[in-house]
Amino acid sequence: MEKKLSLFAPEYRKQFLSLFAVHLLTVSYGMTVGWTAPILPMLRDPLETPLDGGAITVEEASWIGSSFGIGGTMGTFLFALITHYFGKKIGLLSVAVPHLILWSLIWMGESVSFIYAARFLGGLSGGGLFLIIPLFVADIADRRIRGTLGSLTSLHMNIGILISYVLGNYLPYFLIPKIALILPISFLILVSMLPETPHCLLARGKFVEAEKSLMFYRNEPNRGSQSGDQAPGTKSIAFEYEFESLKAFMLAESSKERLRLADFGTREAVRGLFIGVFLMALNQFSGIFSILTYAGTILQETGTSLDRKYALIMLAVVNICGNLTALSVIDRAGRKVFLSASTIGVGFSLGMLGMYSYFSQPPAGQPVANSWVPIFCLSCTIFIGTLGVTSVPFFVIPEIMPAKLRHVGTTICVTMIAFFSFIMTKLFPILLNQIQVHGTVWISSAVCAIGVIVVIFVMPETKGRNLHVEPEKSSRTAEVY
């Protein structure tokens, strides 16, 4: 009988601490995501802009928002190659380089071209983060808390968004990047102290180092000596079984033929890739990322009784509250439950926002009336979205992919989300201008309606899946460790 799950158990401690170090860079990435919401209105104001060239145009603002996606598409391939040849630890460390450069560009740059370059590098590093971190989590996480650890990515990104909203509203423009540089520097120091993942070491034939790495991430020596059920430093039977299973799995993988085009035509591969790409599309075309990017504009056009600065911070806090809720319950119910419920909730909230926007349009030339409804609908959208739409896809992808395609499949999916992000962030301000808020959010609501059908009838449940076996066999594998 499996013992009751406790996230504070000693065997999970180093997994959480390791992900905390890794996610310092995710916080920095979140700051680059949220940076546009308070800063774009400043850059467009002739009296407030800090740029030598004066206020930016609407077209320039749209490119600042969408250049993220261009960098993300290229970053996925770049960091996939680095990770493949040098391992996940080196891959993670290399992602910090664009962050160091981008915040330096914002610090020193006084023209919009510096911002374009910085945003491109932000997307470049984002492509690397959302490729490597799910694979890193899949490598080091105990299957019982893999969903919880996977949810940390979205949580830390949203913490970064909150920090960026606060700093952008209350600190001088050129002071923000000086503060932000602390994060990638701290990340480099802490992550350099972590061992490479057991999977990467076993793939290179380093069995002793791989066992030490798994002992580190399972906190194995301390667990034995503290529990009193075995001699200090003695490895538990459960650990021995897990390591031997992992070693046998990696040896079997290394003995297989190299990846071929035919491997993408299997039933499991086609289903895994379809679901993975679809979840990435749902993540972006649900509109939540674009809402966070252009939240100030949406609130301005729909009207809110709160000051825009406070409203932005409130949305960021709601975002984090949703992440904390998901973090506490994600491994207690199935992935499909959260994802389907989240998709339904986001679609309904956006539909309500669209109805309010449509029926409350003032006559031409009249100001938009202030109301609590827009901020309420956006808060519901963001909170419910964090329970599934914005978090679940990233750690489900490694779970639904056949083991042989896990790295390549994740690379394809992350590339697609970067491409979808570019499309959505580029079109979103144009749609707001052409079909207004109600038309824009109704499109996203319709995407959610389609998403619910796919999640319920096509996506398999992956909670507790053993990643050391193929997906079709995993559900029949005994949970013995």
Side-chain angles (χ1 to χ4, degrees):
M1 181 177 179
E2 190 174 2
K3 64 181 180 181
K4 186 177 179 180
L5 174 66
S6 173
L7 298 179
F8 301 100
E11 58 262 41
Y12 303 142
R13 184 179 303 147
K14 289 185 179 178
Q15 296 173 44
F16 276 103
L17 292 176
S18 299
L19 264 297
F20 170 78
V22 166
H23 284 310
L24 288 175
L25 200 63
T26 310
V27 175
S28 180
Y29 173 77
M31 290 182 65
T32 65
V33 172
W35 182 84
T36 54
I39 297 299
L40 279 182
M42 178 195 303
L43 297 178
R44 294 183 61 186
D45 191 325
L47 299 178
E48 294 186 11
T49 180
L51 303 180
D52 289 342
I56 63 173
T57 65
V58 174
E59 181 69 15
E60 288 172 331
S62 70
W63 279 111
I64 288 174
S66 62
S67 55
F68 237 47
I70 301 174
T73 303
M74 299 180 63
T76 303
F77 288 107
L78 172 63
F79 292 108
L81 291 173
I82 294 174
T83 303
H84 176 74
Y85 288 106
F86 301 102
K88 296 181 179 68
K89 179 179 176 180
I90 297 298
L92 283 170
L93 292 172
S94 64
V95 176
V97 177
H99 270 266
L100 291 171
I101 299 174
L102 79 87
W103 289 119
S104 299
L105 286 174
I106 294 177
W107 177 10
M108 298 181 295
E110 296 181 348
S111 70
V112 70
S113 59
F114 283 83
I115 299 178
Y116 289 154
R119 296 285 293 172
F120 172 83
L121 290 172
L124 192 78
S125 62
L129 282 175
F130 287 108
L131 168 71
I132 303 173
I133 289 180
L135 296 173
F136 183 80
V137 171
D139 279 8
I140 73 164
D142 187 293
R143 62 177 177 80
R144 290 165 290 187
I145 61 167
R146 195 166 58 234
T148 300
L149 294 183
S151 297
L152 290 174
T153 303
S154 181
L155 171 63
H156 284 84
M157 185 185 78
N158 292 326
I159 290 174
I161 292 174
L162 172 61
I163 293 173
S164 195
Y165 282 3
V166 173
L167 298 184
N169 282 321
Y170 296 105
L171 292 184
Y173 177 85
F174 290 109
L175 179 59
I176 297 173
K178 298 177 184 179
I179 297 174
L181 280 168
I182 296 172
L183 292 170
I185 293 172
S186 301
F187 167 87
L188 285 171
I189 295 172
L190 294 177
V191 173
S192 63
M193 299 178 184
L194 297 177
E196 178 60 277
T197 70
H199 293 66
C200 288
L201 292 170
L202 285 172
R204 299 173 190 170
K206 299 181 178 180
F207 299 105
V208 175
E209 291 89 338
E211 185 176 27
K212 291 180 180 178
S213 173
L214 189 61
M215 290 176 67
F216 172 85
Y217 288 116
R218 295 295 180 269
N219 205 21
E220 178 61 24
N222 291 336
R223 179 160 53 128
S225 59
Q226 290 176 0
S227 63
D229 59 358
Q230 60 190 78
T234 303
K235 293 184 283 292
S236 66
I237 296 176
F239 174 85
E240 294 279 9
Y241 178 85
E242 180 179 6
F243 181 69
E244 291 302 320
S245 298
L246 176 59
K247 184 165 66 173
F249 170 76
M250 295 301 295
L251 288 173
E253 287 298 305
S254 64
S255 64
K256 289 182 178 179
E257 295 181 358
R258 300 178 70 87
L259 191 62
R260 300 174 302 170
L261 186 61
D263 294 323
F264 292 90
T266 65
R267 179 176 178 273
E268 292 75 21
V270 171
R271 185 175 70 163
L273 287 170
F274 170 78
I275 295 171
V277 172
F278 183 85
L279 292 181
M280 297 295 97
L282 177 63
N283 179 280
Q284 287 300 308
F285 293 119
S286 64
I288 297 176
F289 183 82
S290 298
I291 287 172
L292 292 172
T293 303
Y294 300 106
T297 303
I298 296 173
L299 291 172
Q300 184 178 7
E301 293 192 10
T302 56
T304 176
S305 55
L306 284 177
D307 181 272
R308 190 187 67 196
K309 293 181 179 180
Y310 299 127
L312 287 175
I313 294 173
M314 177 180 173
L315 290 177
V317 171
V318 168
N319 208 4
I320 293 174
C321 290
N323 281 135
L324 292 174
T325 303
L327 189 67
S328 62
V329 298
I330 193 66
D331 276 311
R332 302 180 187 277
R335 313 316 194 207
K336 292 182 66 170
V337 172
F338 280 97
L339 190 52
S340 57
S342 175
T343 306
I344 292 171
V346 169
F348 180 78
S349 299
L350 290 176
M352 293 298 295
L353 176 62
M355 290 183 62
Y356 169 81
S357 174
Y358 181 79
F359 288 108
S360 65
Q361 292 183 55
Q366 296 295 319
V368 178
N370 289 332
S371 172
W372 57 269
V373 176
I375 190 68
F376 175 77
C377 290
L378 288 176
S379 297
C380 289
T381 299
I382 291 172
F383 180 85
I384 298 171
T386 56
L387 298 179
V389 174
T390 62
S391 57
V392 170
F394 293 104
F395 61 85
V396 163
I397 288 173
E399 297 176 341
I400 62 175
M401 293 290 174
K404 194 173 183 179
L405 297 181
R406 192 161 291 145
H407 190 277
V408 175
T410 302
T411 302
I412 293 172
C413 292
V414 175
T415 301
M416 294 307 298
I417 195 175
F419 176 68
F420 295 145
S421 173
F422 166 72
I423 293 175
M424 195 62 181
T425 52
K426 181 62 178 172
L427 290 180
F428 203 82
I430 298 174
L431 292 174
L432 289 176
N433 183 59
Q434 295 296 323
I435 59 176
Q436 302 180 338
V437 172
H438 59 270
T440 305
V441 298
W442 278 343
I443 291 175
S444 292
S445 183
V447 170
C448 291
I450 298 172
V452 171
I453 297 173
V454 174
V455 170
I456 293 177
F457 295 104
V458 181
M459 176 181 159
E461 179 56 66
T462 60
K463 177 179 180 290
R465 172 168 288 178
N466 187 347
L467 298 186
H468 299 170
V469 297
E470 294 296 331
E472 68 271 18
K473 300 176 183 177
S474 179
S475 61
R476 301 192 299 269
T477 302
E479 298 181 355
V480 291
Y481 64 89

